[in-house]
Amino acid sequence: MKKRRIDYFAFAALFFVGVVLCTQMKRNALRTQGNVEKEGVYNNNCNHIQTISEFAPLMSYVDSIGNLPPTMGRIDTALQVMNIHHKDVVLAQVAIESAYAKSGLVKSNANLFGMKVAKRRATTNNGEKYGYATYKNWAYSLLDYALWQDRYMNGLNKEQYLEKLSKVYATDTNYVEKIINIINKQKK
């Protein structure tokens, strides 16, 4: 009889701890706008998107490369590893938005794109500073761009991608022209 009580008590304690941890995990995810936490990836409605074990290989890469200073070469490599589409366009965006990964926003917020805090999609940001999203490191900024791209730019060819960037992303009316100029300079 005592053994059953102990087993029941252990089960009840584990169940309670699990409920508390799950609740805390969801609160943390909501508080951080769907941040990538050790527990997994959550969207802004606290719905689980992906477990950390599914995301682990990429997160391990993001953590390791993100601790190195951002260079255009490292960013280029990370874009490939993260399977970010229209890599040449995105690399040109990094050049424009962050002065080739050397801007004050990169230094203070680890933000390569001038991204704001996401309101309606999964994100890797961990807060806000100076009106812009902050990240654990610059590689998390790239991963957040990949999430943005997947949500809003998925399935577009390069021409459509550039057209949509001019409409929904940039405030500069010459933004796409600047991207194309950078791409053309890189080809030479």
Side-chain angles (χ1 to χ4, degrees):
M1 187 83 162
K2 280 187 178 182
K3 183 152 178 77
R4 283 187 186 177
R5 268 194 184 157
I6 292 170
D7 289 345
Y8 176 75
F9 178 77
F11 173 79
L14 285 172
F15 179 79
F16 178 74
V17 168
V19 169
V20 169
L21 286 175
C22 183
T23 302
Q24 186 62 39
M25 190 168 64
K26 284 187 175 188
R27 282 186 189 144
N28 287 342
L30 181 61
R31 188 177 321 118
T32 59
Q33 299 291 323
N35 195 11
V36 174
E37 299 286 340
K38 288 185 179 178
E39 297 85 3
V41 180
Y42 293 80
N43 66 16
N44 293 330
N45 297 323
C46 290
N47 296 322
H48 194 260
I49 297 171
Q50 206 167 15
T51 66
I52 198 62
S53 62
E54 293 166 326
F55 220 53
L58 182 57
M59 296 312 300
S60 176
Y61 174 78
V62 168
D63 281 329
S64 66
I65 195 168
N67 290 325
L68 301 171
T71 64
M72 294 305 281
R74 287 185 184 126
I75 292 166
D76 186 27
T77 301
L79 291 172
Q80 277 185 306
V81 170
M82 293 181 197
N83 197 27
I84 293 177
H85 304 289
H86 307 296
K87 187 178 74 139
D88 57 342
V89 173
V90 178
L91 210 53
Q93 284 184 270
V94 170
I96 293 167
E97 298 290 344
S98 69
Y100 293 88
K102 295 178 182 176
S103 71
L105 196 58
V106 173
K107 292 173 184 160
S108 65
N109 293 26
N111 189 331
L112 293 170
F113 297 96
M115 299 284 272
K116 304 283 186 171
V117 173
K119 304 278 189 231
R120 288 175 248 168
R121 64 169 177 82
T123 183
T124 59
N125 76 67
N126 62 2
E128 183 176 4
K129 190 176 185 182
Y130 310 122
Y132 294 94
T134 59
Y135 299 95
K136 180 178 177 182
N137 62 48
W138 63 267
Y140 278 83
S141 176
L142 283 181
L143 187 55
D144 195 43
Y145 186 92
L147 292 168
W148 175 84
Q149 189 183 64
D150 186 58
R151 169 70 189 233
Y152 299 111
M153 307 291 270
N154 199 9
L156 301 178
N157 66 32
K158 190 173 181 177
E159 184 179 303
Q160 294 167 327
Y161 193 86
L162 288 167
E163 184 180 329
K164 193 165 181 182
L165 275 179
S166 71
K167 292 179 181 177
V168 301
Y169 189 87
T171 55
D172 182 351
T173 55
N174 298 318
Y175 192 70
V176 170
E177 185 179 322
K178 290 177 182 179
I179 288 172
I180 292 168
N181 287 339
I182 291 170
I183 292 169
N184 289 337
K185 285 180 188 176
Q186 297 297 324
K187 288 180 182 177
K188 292 179 181 180

